[in-house]
């Protein structure tokens, strides 16, 4: 018997930003910047973490 794959919970930007410090140990402002250019409206925790990592590694344009 195969187990059906559980759907990964999706959260809105607002929900993630309200809990940014507890979930990701970052300020909501950092999460806002990380998700700023993302086209989607909802994210899983893993997707949000990927965006945060990319944002933190990005070079600052000067």
């Amino acid at each position: 018997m195969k187990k059906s794959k559980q759907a990964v919970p999706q959260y809105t930007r607002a929900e993630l930003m309200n809990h940014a410090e507890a979930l990701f140990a970052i300020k909501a402002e950092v999460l806002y910047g990380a998700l700023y250019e993302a086209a989607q409206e909802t994210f899983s925790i893993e997707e949000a973490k990927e965006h945060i990592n990319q944002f933190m590694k990005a070079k600052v344009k000067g």
Side-chain angles (χ1 to χ4, degrees):
M1 285 175 101
K2 288 185 179 180
K3 289 185 179 180
S4 62
K5 205 173 193 183
Q6 293 284 333
V8 178
Q10 298 285 308
Y11 303 95
T12 64
R13 293 169 192 254
E15 288 174 313
L16 292 170
M17 289 190 4
N18 286 339
H19 302 285
E21 290 191 43
L23 291 170
F24 311 112
I26 60 170
K27 297 275 187 195
E29 294 85 358
V30 175
L31 183 59
Y32 179 85
L35 301 180
Y36 181 75
E37 291 187 0
Q40 67 213 70
E41 292 299 317
T42 59
F43 304 86
S44 69
I45 300 294
E46 284 303 313
E47 289 170 332
K49 284 181 182 178
E50 287 176 28
H51 284 284
I52 292 164
N53 288 336
Q54 289 174 353
F55 180 74
M56 297 299 250
K57 291 177 185 174
K59 294 187 180 188
V60 177
K61 296 177 186 176

